[in-house]
């Protein structure tokens, strides 16, 4: 396999045209299942204040629901390749949705914050199997190449994240347990889609069995390692926004319905920009410059929230606006990772996601603790600083990342 850094073809922009929709039925099955899977993430967000109240937990206790979820996801990413190369993409995806459904249903039946935190960890295992395999499967089965396949995947992610909070707010207004049971039911639907529409497992089995060491070997490639470390840093900002901002708005009087609509707006902007704006930015400014610009603007929204933490209107506006910057960045960095190193894309995804979700595991709990140790403004400030550090780190390593804009032929 030729190294991407030596590819001589011309840069290929991310072109969002109708050809993106020219996909086999298997790709659509995975995309619809991805929407449902990512609805599960957003479903829980509006009920965080309610869980804290009903289970007599502190804000930092509730953030552990995301910490355990992301920590297990980070570690599980290292074994997704081992499992998928032996089971095949179809059965790995099916196994992932079954695990999510089981642990979500058990979470809905739990009566303590400790049990709920542990069960969210099991949910994270299922999500790791699904997410890492879904992205690689869509790319490998697609007719339209890496760039447009990733746009399709990010569209599914954005739709799931945007609709999830709205549904979670509606179900959460009935009971905090509702969204957990809602996830279990949605995963059953995903299970049916994958069983019926995915091709036979034999068609998806990898010719080479992946080993546990492969993701670590992949991180020896500087470009992939650089994107992973940058994602580790900006996920401090991402999950501060997703988790801590929801708790802040809950304390400012926003109920489950209100939180659902706020994060609906956030998710819609994330979905729209990932499809329509990211390609234009990449074409005009290049991947790295566009990423740095989006992350810089995202950091500014966190700093604004740090300054006006007690102003509900400002926090709501900044949360929604941040969706635009994150949507652009998600598509840009995911595409860059797929072309960052001369390794299998599933291995690259696993190695990158391992570093990314470590940041996602630390950030929510740290944000809750910083608010307890200091004041409610500090978590947003720390999140903004970490995002700015990711910008500086990417720019400092820009000479090692020039090849990510090159064509995806290899």
């Amino acid at each position: 396999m030729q190294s991407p850094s030596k590819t001589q073809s011309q840069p290929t922009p991310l072109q969002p045209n109708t050809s993106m929709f020219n996909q086999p039925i298997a790709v659509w099955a995975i995309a619809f299942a991805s929407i449902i899977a990512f609805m599960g993430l957003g479903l829980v967000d509006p009920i965080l204040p309610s869980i804290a109240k009903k289970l007599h937990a502190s804000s930092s206790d509730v953030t552990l629901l995301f910490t355990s979820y992301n920590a297990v996801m980070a570690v599980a990413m290292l074994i997704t390749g081992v499992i998928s190369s032996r089971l095949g993409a179809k059965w790995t995806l099916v196994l992932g949705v079954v695990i999510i459904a089981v642990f979500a249903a058990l979470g809905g039946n739990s009566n303590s914050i400790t049990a709920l935190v542990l069960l969210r960890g099991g949910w994270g295992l299922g999500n790791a199997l699904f997410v890492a395999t879904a992205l690689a499967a869509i790319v490998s089965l697609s007719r339209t190449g890496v760039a447009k396949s990733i746009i399709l995947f990010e569209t599914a992610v954005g739709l799931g994240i945007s609709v999830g909070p709205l549904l979670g707010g509606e179900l959460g207004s009935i009971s905090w347990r509702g969204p957990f049971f809602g996830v279990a039911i949605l995963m059953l639907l995903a299970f049916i889609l994958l069983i019926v529409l995915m091709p036979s497992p034999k068609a998806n089995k990898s010719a080479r069995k992946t080993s546990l060491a492969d993701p670590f070997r992949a991180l020896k490639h500087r470009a992939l390692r650089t994107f992973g470390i940058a994602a580790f840093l900006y996920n401090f900002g991402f999950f501060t926004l997703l988790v801590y901002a929801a708790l802040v708005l809950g304390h400012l009087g926003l109920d489950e319905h209100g939180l659902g609509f706020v994060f609906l707006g956030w998710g819609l902007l994330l979905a729209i920009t990932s499809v329509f704006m990211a390609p234009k930015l990449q074409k005009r400014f290049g991947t790295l410059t566009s990423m740095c610009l989006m992350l810089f603007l995202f950091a500014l929204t966190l700093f604004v929230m740090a300054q006006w933490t007690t102003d509900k209107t400002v926090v709501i506006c900044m949360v929604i606006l941040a969706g635009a910057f994150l949507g652009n960045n998600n598509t840009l960095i995911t595409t860059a990772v797929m072309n960052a190193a001369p390794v299998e894309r599933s291995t690259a995804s696993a190695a990158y996601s391992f570093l990314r979700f470590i940041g996602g595991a630390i950030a929510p709990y740290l944000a809750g603790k910083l608010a307890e140790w200091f004041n409610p403004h500090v978590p947003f400030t720390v999140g903004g600083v970490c995002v700015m550090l990711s910008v500086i780190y990417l720019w400092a390593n820009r000479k090692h990342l020039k090849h990510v804009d090159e064509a995806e032929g290899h």
Side-chain angles (χ1 to χ4, degrees):
M1 180 182 293
Q2 184 179 354
S3 171
S5 60
K6 296 179 181 179
T7 306
Q8 298 300 315
S9 51
Q10 295 300 313
T12 301
L14 304 171
Q15 298 175 352
N17 53 41
T18 55
S19 64
M20 182 184 78
F21 301 103
N22 180 25
Q23 305 288 359
I25 190 68
V27 169
W28 288 115
I30 300 169
F32 280 120
S34 298
I35 293 173
I36 297 170
F38 280 93
M39 282 177 69
L41 178 65
L43 275 167
V44 178
D45 207 41
I47 59 170
L48 291 177
S50 179
I51 292 174
K53 181 179 179 180
K54 297 295 175 60
L55 296 183
H56 309 290
S58 67
S59 293
S60 58
D61 289 336
V62 173
T63 62
L64 286 171
L65 294 173
F66 281 84
T67 291
S68 63
Y69 175 83
N70 286 323
V72 172
M73 276 192 72
V75 176
M77 284 294 175
L78 300 175
I79 64 170
T80 54
V82 175
I83 294 173
S84 64
S85 66
R86 287 159 175 80
L87 294 182
K90 177 175 181 175
W91 294 115
T92 304
L93 291 169
V94 168
L95 178 62
V97 299
V98 168
I99 291 173
I100 294 171
V102 170
F103 280 95
L106 291 173
N109 281 305
S110 62
N111 293 305
S112 72
I113 190 65
T114 301
L116 200 54
V117 167
L118 294 174
L119 291 168
R120 275 283 285 180
W123 187 340
L125 171 62
N127 220 54
L129 291 171
F130 181 87
V131 171
T133 309
L135 176 57
I138 285 177
V139 170
S140 65
L141 294 172
S142 173
R143 299 190 186 110
T144 58
V146 176
K148 296 180 182 66
S149 303
I150 289 171
I151 292 173
L152 180 64
F153 179 75
E154 292 296 338
T155 302
V157 171
L159 287 173
I161 289 176
S162 60
V163 176
L166 185 63
L167 183 58
E170 294 301 317
L171 294 174
S173 65
I174 302 170
S175 168
W176 70 264
R177 301 176 190 274
F180 287 89
F181 293 126
V183 169
I185 294 170
L186 289 170
M187 286 298 104
L188 177 61
L189 176 58
F191 172 82
I192 295 170
L193 284 172
L194 294 171
I195 289 291
V196 173
L197 299 178
M198 279 286 287
S200 64
K202 290 183 179 180
N204 286 304
K205 285 188 177 179
S206 173
R208 188 182 75 86
K209 299 296 187 292
T210 303
S211 74
L212 288 171
D214 284 351
F216 294 104
R217 293 193 189 104
L219 289 174
K220 292 180 181 179
H221 296 281
R222 185 160 183 171
L224 184 60
R225 188 171 67 248
T226 297
F227 286 126
I229 293 172
F232 168 86
L233 290 168
Y234 93 74
N235 263 277
F236 276 82
F238 183 96
F239 281 96
T240 296
L241 179 91
L242 186 64
V243 181
Y244 181 69
L247 292 170
V248 167
L249 289 171
H251 288 308
L252 293 176
L254 221 58
D255 61 9
E256 292 87 354
H257 291 287
L259 284 168
F261 280 111
V262 169
F263 282 95
L264 170 66
W266 173 77
L268 285 174
L269 272 184
L270 187 148
I272 292 167
T273 54
S274 66
V275 178
F276 298 106
M277 281 189 64
K280 298 181 187 302
L281 289 170
Q282 191 267 357
K283 183 178 180 180
R284 181 164 184 176
F285 301 109
T287 301
L288 184 62
T289 301
S290 300
M291 283 172 53
C292 289
L293 175 61
M294 291 300 103
L295 290 173
F296 175 77
L297 293 173
F298 174 45
L300 290 184
T301 66
L302 291 169
F303 289 138
V304 170
M305 284 190 279
Q307 182 67 34
W308 287 280
T309 306
T310 57
D311 190 318
K312 182 165 63 176
T313 302
V314 171
V315 175
I316 288 173
C317 291
M318 290 300 102
V319 167
I320 295 172
L321 180 62
F325 307 137
L326 290 169
N328 284 317
N329 184 69
N330 285 351
T331 296
L332 292 164
I333 196 168
T334 305
T335 307
V337 166
M338 292 294 100
N339 293 318
V343 298
E344 291 183 5
R345 288 178 176 125
S346 59
T347 301
S349 176
Y352 161 76
S353 295
F354 169 67
L355 293 176
R356 174 168 61 123
F357 285 114
I358 289 176
I362 298 171
Y365 185 68
L366 179 62
K369 282 298 182 184
L370 288 171
E372 292 175 7
W373 293 335
F374 301 102
N375 60 65
H377 305 268
V378 173
F380 290 123
T381 301
V382 172
V385 168
C386 288
V387 176
M388 286 300 298
L389 288 175
S390 73
V391 175
I392 295 168
Y393 183 73
L394 283 170
W395 196 250
N397 286 276
R398 63 189 181 279
K399 68 179 182 180
H400 303 288
L401 308 175
K402 292 179 181 179
H403 64 277
V404 299
D405 274 318
E406 295 180 355
E408 44 184 280
H410 295 276

